[in-house]
Amino acid sequence: MRTAVVFAAAILLRVGLIYFGYTDVDYLVFTDAARFVSRGRSPYDRATYRYTPLLAWLLYPTTWGGLWFEFGKGLFATADILTGWLIIRILRRRLSSEKATNYACIWLLNPIVASISARGSSEGLVCLLTVALLWATLQRRFIIAGGLLGFAVHFKIYPFIYAASLFCWADATHVGSVRHDRKDPNRPTWPDRVMAFFTPARRILTVVSALTFTLLNIAMLRPYGMPFLKHTFLYHFTRIDHRHNFSVYNTALHLDSAYQTSATGFRIESLAFIPQLLLSVVLIPLLLAKKNLPGAMLAQTFAFVTFNKVCTSQYFLWYMVFLPVYLPDSSLLWSRRGLVMLAAWVAGQAMWLQQGYELEFLGKSTFLPGLWVSSINFFLLNCWSLSIIVEDVGASMALRAAKKNDPKLTQ
Amino acid sequence: MKQRITYLLPPGTDYDPANIHISPDSVNITDTAEAPAIEKRVTAGLSELPAELRHVLSSIHELHIRYTSRQPYLAPSPLTSRLPPGLHVFFTPLASAPETDICPLLKSLFASPTQNIKCPSTPQSFSPIPILPGSERFAHTSSHQYYTPLPKNQILAFQTFLSRTFCPGTFRGECPNEIATLSFASYIDIDFDAISHAVTLTAVWRAGIGNPAARTPAKLWGGQDGGGLEVGVLVPQTADEAEEIKLGGFLTVVGEDEYPSATMFSFPSRHHAVPQSSLDIEPSFGISFQQPTGLHPKMSITFPQHQEGEKQQEGREGFLSPPKSEGACALHAYLTLPSAVFLDRYQLSDPAVLRENGLVALRSSSGEQDLEAPEWVVERWGSAALLELSPPPPNDSADDRGEWEVSVPLHLRYLQAANMTGGSEGGRGGGEGGEGYVDLTISFPAVFWACEAEEGLKMSTNPFDRVDIGYDGLFGPRTMFYHFSPATGGSSAGGSSAGGPGVGGGGMGSGIGQGVLESVIRVPVLEPVWGGLVAWGTFGAVVGGFGWVVWGLVRGMGRGKKGGVVKKTE
């Protein structure tokens, strides 16, 4: 009953937002690309279309005109709702229906989430894929998980970071497979060790995800050729990212791009991938994935977005989607610390947005120091939050063990 | 060198040919009410040009240079065509030399040590001119286009070039004086094509220039065999046909005629001024930018309805109605935008956006089309756009301001700070713009009615015909253009005029735009002042943030271990 009410409210919220809300520029890009596709042309004929052609095909009905134009927004909003349903499925593994629904409200009734989808951003679809990936993994459905992973990476690249955490997590303990080499535990030969490391789950994950990713790319490459590779993948290596955004690197990138001769000789942003990938692909998966997979995925995403060379508000959805599945295990929910973190995150963003507004709409030159200081402030606030989250996730084994409420873990 | 000089007197002038004084090598025109408008046309064969120019021209099929002054002027009939102020170049290379680079030529003509023009090379900087589907293209339209809003006094570089080339060794006298008059010209055209093997320079001066330095006597150059000089004194007459222009007056061929011969002739004309209303005021438009401009400036094109004092009974009738009763007409604006600013062709294909801004459609958009690139990576000159504007609905009495306004949504690229660009490349105004800002100059567009002309008209029989002005090639050959004259300053644009009030500490706009056919907008830029601090500050923040997260991981592992031990002992 309660669940039905929440879903009804979530749907109403989105219908209302689509009805009254405005349309994002990205949505016009998607629908233009869909129009090109419907005429047998390439979606990359639309300048700034940088997504898989599948997205344009998904939005094919928007080309039918009239109310169908809103189809894509409806699709993204539906993805939000499905994501909420999956979140409840994940939480129901160890929480009551009522509690699971309560946590899912963080996603389902979140006005930021609802408005981003309702204005026509495709992030809702990516979030559906990543949560489905988590769900499939926790259910030990590794073929599905591998397929979802390959598809998600094809769709938006960044989910490749989850490969690391899923791989770490899928060890013998979690998969629960009984190894035959237990006969001689004292003297395992090295093939035994290798075989032990590459559990069947890990093998399936690797093969299925790589295969899905490759096959999808081949399928897209055949009709759309080099423009597909250029715009969906290679673009991310050549982009300048000089336009103002939340990223801590933005001002440095802008300066280096505009004044190459006057650069100080060292370019921190060319090494930006090191801290980013070290955290999101190496340290967090290695240290946290086995302890708490949802928490690790949240931390990975948070680290990836925080340390990225470009960051817009849509990216916040990527980690927000993991909040409902992480918070039940967290000591932060309703704690003073958690609330301060939330307030700091909102305030840091508001400070940046204020500077951005003055630049973009009032024409005030707030690049330096305003935007730079705001982005560093926001970055440090995020690092502080991330630091607390990774500590909390790292300690969560103890918490869980104390709670003893995961039947799968203790089976 | 052949010269043709035409003095154009105001309509209704009754000119006495006794005031035309003829000598064997010159003609002097006296006793005009005010200084008349003048067109001078000089045609030179290739053999009369210096060798280095001949060499450059030998790989060019067609070259048309159109320089238009920033000073507003009333267009004398029949010279009514208009272009956005600045330097326009229309160019077709020889088929055998498609990679011909004319940037060096343009630089030697128009760049000076202090004022560079942004033109790395023709293939990089020029843009192909599109052919609109459904419109048969002018047979002679050029294939490539370039534009730069030449800053103030830039024509000086061209004059320096001319006097170096044609008046070697002299700094005084007729030759330099002749070149000096170009400072006062309203527009200058240079035309070359490989078929005629001749270069034509046409300059037009508006009527009423007081300065005597703007006028030189009509004189045969280089003595009797100087190629000829034809002088006309012409007065526009009421034409018999709506599409025609009729001129009457006197023609003199210097060295042949002892007396001026009277003449009266008419011809169909491609270009006309928008017919005046009963109030005898030239139909005009003004531009302004809605303040604050931000990173998405919106250009307003305002058509004032001149109804001083009591409101006329006729209301809006006749205001912005098509100038021609037969054949369809549509109101257009032709913009040439420097690369620092652009319009989004996708945004302008949205019917709702078009309606909201009083636009019918973006008919053509060519040149730089990148919607994201910053100024410093763009090599093309910028972009040209032809917009169809919606005229006010008939009998609309809602607008009490008595004007009609449409707007063009534009977007700025990110720019480099002023001191980094070496003067005023790419359309920067003369002003530095101040710390954190750059002043960007946007020229007035050309605004006109394009109307269907009657079939079979021979526009090219017009001795004053002007083609290759950018937008003409975007219409069919049977198109007539009725031009609005651009107006500055005293427009009724309210508080949103070009030099509008400042915002915040920066002080938006400036006085530079006053009285000239351009608007200046102030663009925020990132100054390279704190380069080192930004680099090291960012580095420090990233290292600190990274360390903070790692420390969180370490703390978590410590606490987790304790928990793990607890679990194992369970």
Side-chain angles (χ1 to χ4, degrees), chain B residues 204-549:
Chain B
V204 170
W205 289 262
R206 64 179 174 88
I209 302 175
N211 197 324
R215 295 185 67 187
T216 49
K219 195 154 191 280
L220 206 56
W221 293 341
Q224 297 286 7
D225 51 344
L229 165 64
E230 193 183 7
V231 179
V233 181
L234 299 172
V235 181
Q237 314 286 318
T238 309
D240 309 321
E241 302 281 338
E243 300 184 359
E244 291 193 339
I245 283 177
K246 189 175 185 182
L247 297 171
F250 305 93
L251 296 178
T252 312
V253 179
V254 175
E256 288 178 22
D257 298 342
E258 284 179 39
Y259 304 100
S261 47
T263 182
M264 180 79 81
F265 58 101
S266 57
F267 46 83
S269 178
R270 216 184 294 279
H271 298 282
H272 297 259
V274 174
Q276 294 180 359
S277 65
S278 52
L279 287 149
D280 228 30
I281 292 164
E282 185 122 325
S284 65
F285 73 95
I287 69 163
S288 58
F289 279 89
Q290 293 168 21
Q291 300 292 342
T293 44
L295 297 182
H296 308 280
K298 206 167 196 185
M299 178 199 276
S300 299
I301 303 176
T302 312
F303 299 90
Q305 184 179 18
H306 291 287
Q307 285 187 342
E308 278 86 23
E310 77 271 32
K311 278 220 158 185
Q312 299 253 322
Q313 277 303 306
E314 55 184 316
R316 301 186 75 94
E317 259 175 59
F319 172 57
L320 273 182
S321 56
K324 203 164 169 285
S325 48
E326 281 162 33
C329 288
L331 189 60
H332 285 88
Y334 179 70
L335 291 85
T336 44
L337 300 168
S339 55
V341 67
F342 61 93
L343 44 80
D344 180 346
R345 63 192 188 281
Y346 298 108
Q347 182 190 20
L348 290 175
S349 64
D350 182 347
V353 172
L354 290 168
R355 210 177 316 117
E356 184 185 310
N357 289 290
L359 305 173
V360 177
L362 174 64
R363 292 293 178 209
S364 166
S365 169
S366 64
E368 185 54 59
Q369 298 290 323
D370 194 307
L371 305 174
E372 295 164 321
E375 233 284 291
W376 56 87
V377 305
V378 172
E379 283 167 334
R380 229 179 294 277
W381 63 271
S383 55
L386 179 70
L387 281 159
E388 185 178 339
L389 318 178
S390 36
N395 306 319
D396 167 34
S397 54
D399 191 348
D400 290 332
R401 291 187 296 170
E403 63 179 26
W404 176 246
E405 182 179 294
V406 302
S407 42
V408 184
L410 301 171
H411 306 277
L412 288 173
R413 295 189 193 284
Y414 283 45
L415 309 185
Q416 285 170 321
N419 51 347
M420 297 304 297
T421 51
S424 45
E425 261 185 7
R428 307 288 175 68
E432 288 287 294
E435 196 85 330
Y437 297 91
V438 155
D439 283 340
L440 181 71
T441 304
I442 313 269
S443 296
F444 274 48
V447 177
F448 50 85
W449 287 98
C451 301
E452 272 179 88
E454 265 175 40
E455 214 158 318
L457 276 178
K458 290 275 173 283
M459 307 284 199
S460 52
T461 60
N462 176 355
F464 300 96
D465 193 23
R466 193 178 182 215
V467 290
D468 287 301
I469 46 178
Y471 52 85
D472 56 349
L474 302 174
F475 294 89
R478 282 191 213 97
T479 307
M480 291 174 61
F481 302 94
Y482 290 86
H483 296 270
F484 288 85
S485 63
T488 61
S491 82
S492 47
S496 60
S497 69
V503 171
M508 303 287 300
S510 69
I512 298 171
Q514 291 296 319
V516 294
L517 300 179
E518 58 193 25
S519 223
V520 177
I521 52 179
R522 178 150 285 194
V523 181
V525 292
L526 171 61
E527 293 278 347
V529 281
W530 293 359
L533 180 65
V534 169
W536 288 108
T538 307
F539 179 73
V542 171
V543 169
F546 180 77
W548 207 344
V549 178

Side-chain angles (χ1 to χ4, degrees), chain B residues 25-80:
Chain B
D25 69 343
S26 70
V27 172
N28 205 9
I29 311 290
T30 59
D31 200 30
T32 52
E34 59 165 5
I38 308 171
E39 187 209 56
K40 287 190 184 177
R41 182 171 290 190
V42 182
T43 308
L46 271 189
S47 57
E48 294 173 275
L49 296 177
E52 77 258 30
L53 263 185
R54 273 209 308 274
H55 176 73
V56 178
L57 294 175
S58 67
S59 55
I60 292 174
H61 179 67
E62 259 189 280
L63 177 65
H64 308 282
I65 296 175
R66 306 278 179 257
Y67 162 78
T68 305
S69 158
R70 316 176 320 146
Q71 301 296 329
Y73 67 96
L74 288 180
S77 178
L79 309 172
T80 45

Side-chain angles (χ1 to χ4, degrees), chain A residues 12-320:
Chain A
L12 265 177
L13 173 66
R14 283 162 176 81
V15 169
L17 282 170
I18 292 175
Y19 185 79
F20 293 107
Y22 93 119
T23 301
D24 195 62
V25 182
D26 284 349
Y27 191 67
L28 300 176
V29 177
F30 302 154
T31 49
D32 281 351
R35 214 168 300 129
F36 279 121
V37 159
S38 73
R39 293 183 198 141
R41 291 178 60 186
S42 164
Y44 304 104
D45 288 350
R46 172 53 161 97
T48 73
Y49 184 80
R50 307 244 159 72
Y51 315 85
T52 166
L54 286 176
L55 182 60
W57 279 108
L58 266 178
L59 300 188
Y60 193 98
T62 58
T63 61
W64 297 338
L67 211 56
W68 280 108
F69 180 74
E70 310 292 339
F71 171 81
K73 297 181 188 174
L75 184 77
F76 302 147
T78 310
D80 278 358
I81 303 289
L82 272 176
T83 306
W85 178 74
L86 275 175
I87 288 172
I88 293 179
R89 287 291 299 264
I90 292 169
L91 291 174
R92 283 285 284 130
R93 291 158 47 86
R94 55 205 167 79
L95 294 182
S96 69
S97 167
E98 193 181 327
K99 274 194 165 173
T101 307
N102 284 351
Y103 282 113
C105 285
I106 297 172
W107 176 261
L108 281 170
L109 300 182
N110 189 325
I112 303 175
V113 174
S115 61
I116 286 183
S117 283
R119 69 185 198 188
S121 259
S122 65
E123 311 303 329
L125 280 180
V126 188
C127 291
L128 173 61
L129 289 176
T130 55
V131 167
L133 178 63
L134 173 62
W135 170 81
T137 308
L138 292 175
Q139 294 291 108
R140 276 79 170 162
R141 298 189 176 177
F142 294 109
I143 296 177
I144 296 179
L148 283 167
L149 179 61
F151 182 53
V153 177
H154 168 78
F155 203 92
K156 200 90 196 183
I157 305 181
Y158 87 87
F160 79 89
I161 58 173
Y162 305 129
S165 47
L166 297 192
F167 195 88
C168 287
W169 182 84
D171 61 2
T173 327
H174 286 95
V175 179
S177 64
V178 182
R179 297 296 314 166
H180 305 294
D181 47 47
R182 290 266 170 89
K183 311 180 245 184
D184 189 6
N186 298 324
R187 289 189 59 211
T189 56
W190 74 261
D192 285 340
R193 279 190 192 169
V194 170
M195 289 309 283
F197 181 73
F198 284 103
T199 59
R202 283 174 172 167
R203 270 178 269 166
I204 291 171
L205 265 177
T206 311
V207 170
V208 174
S209 62
L211 209 62
T212 314
F213 180 69
T214 313
L215 288 178
L216 277 170
N217 287 342
I218 290 172
M220 294 304 126
L221 202 55
R222 277 176 67 100
Y224 300 111
M226 270 316 280
F228 157 67
L229 273 191
K230 198 179 133 200
H231 292 288
T232 43
F233 298 122
L234 302 180
Y235 163 73
H236 296 281
F237 296 100
T238 57
R239 56 193 294 179
I240 310 175
D241 292 320
H242 63 287
R243 290 181 169 266
H244 64 283
N245 62 69
F246 288 107
S247 170
V248 67
Y249 297 108
N250 177 251
T251 308
L253 280 169
H254 186 166
L255 274 175
D256 273 353
S257 172
Y259 311 108
Q260 291 179 356
T261 49
S262 67
T264 46
F266 108 102
R267 296 197 170 181
I268 175 184
E269 67 280 357
S270 61
L271 303 173
F273 69 95
I274 295 177
Q276 183 187 28
L277 296 186
L278 210 55
L279 283 177
S280 61
V281 182
V282 181
L283 293 177
I284 293 173
L286 274 179
L287 299 176
L288 304 182
K290 285 186 189 180
K291 296 190 167 182
N292 176 348
L293 185 59
M297 286 171 79
L298 168 74
Q300 274 185 294
T301 324
F302 200 170
F304 187 88
V305 171
T306 302
F307 286 83
N308 202 22
K309 285 208 283 187
V310 58
C311 178
T312 64
S313 56
Q314 293 165 20
Y315 293 15
F316 302 151
L317 244 63
W318 297 354
Y319 56 81
M320 251 183 225

Side-chain angles (χ1 to χ4, degrees), chain B residues 53-263:
Chain B
L53 263 185
R54 273 209 308 274
H55 176 73
V56 178
L57 294 175
S58 67
S59 55
I60 292 174
H61 179 67
E62 259 189 280
L63 177 65
H64 308 282
I65 296 175
R66 306 278 179 257
Y67 162 78
T68 305
S69 158
R70 316 176 320 146
Q71 301 296 329
Y73 67 96
L74 288 180
S77 178
L79 309 172
T80 45
S81 64
R82 287 180 182 273
L83 269 172
L87 181 74
H88 303 258
V89 182
F90 305 98
F91 164 67
T92 311
L94 275 186
S96 56
E99 296 288 290
T100 299
D101 186 8
I102 61 165
C103 284
L105 173 67
L106 289 180
K107 284 181 180 170
S108 66
L109 291 181
F110 296 102
S112 64
T114 52
Q115 304 271 35
N116 195 10
I117 60 175
K118 180 179 166 182
C119 192
S121 83
T122 300
Q124 288 170 294
S125 310
F126 278 57
S127 62
I129 300 179
I131 306 168
L132 283 199
S135 81
E136 16 171 356
R137 195 217 266 244
F138 272 54
H140 46 70
T141 304
S142 305
S143 64
H144 287 80
Q145 177 176 16
Y146 176 85
Y147 166 77
T148 175
L150 277 188
K152 207 157 77 178
N153 298 331
Q154 187 71 43
I155 201 67
L156 205 59
F158 179 54
Q159 291 170 294
T160 312
F161 168 85
L162 285 180
S163 50
R164 228 183 22 240
T165 311
F166 295 101
C167 325
T170 46
F171 299 97
R172 286 170 185 215
E174 286 174 5
C175 186
N177 284 355
E178 193 66 45
I179 288 163
T181 60
L182 291 176
S183 306
F184 301 90
S186 293
Y187 69 79
I188 300 170
D189 290 356
I190 302 168
D191 293 274
F192 167 79
D193 68 82
I195 295 157
S196 69
H197 255 63
V199 176
T200 307
L201 188 143
T202 310
V204 170
W205 289 262
R206 64 179 174 88
I209 302 175
N211 197 324
R215 295 185 67 187
T216 49
K219 195 154 191 280
L220 206 56
W221 293 341
Q224 297 286 7
D225 51 344
L229 165 64
E230 193 183 7
V231 179
V233 181
L234 299 172
V235 181
Q237 314 286 318
T238 309
D240 309 321
E241 302 281 338
E243 300 184 359
E244 291 193 339
I245 283 177
K246 189 175 185 182
L247 297 171
F250 305 93
L251 296 178
T252 312
V253 179
V254 175
E256 288 178 22
D257 298 342
E258 284 179 39
Y259 304 100
S261 47
T263 182

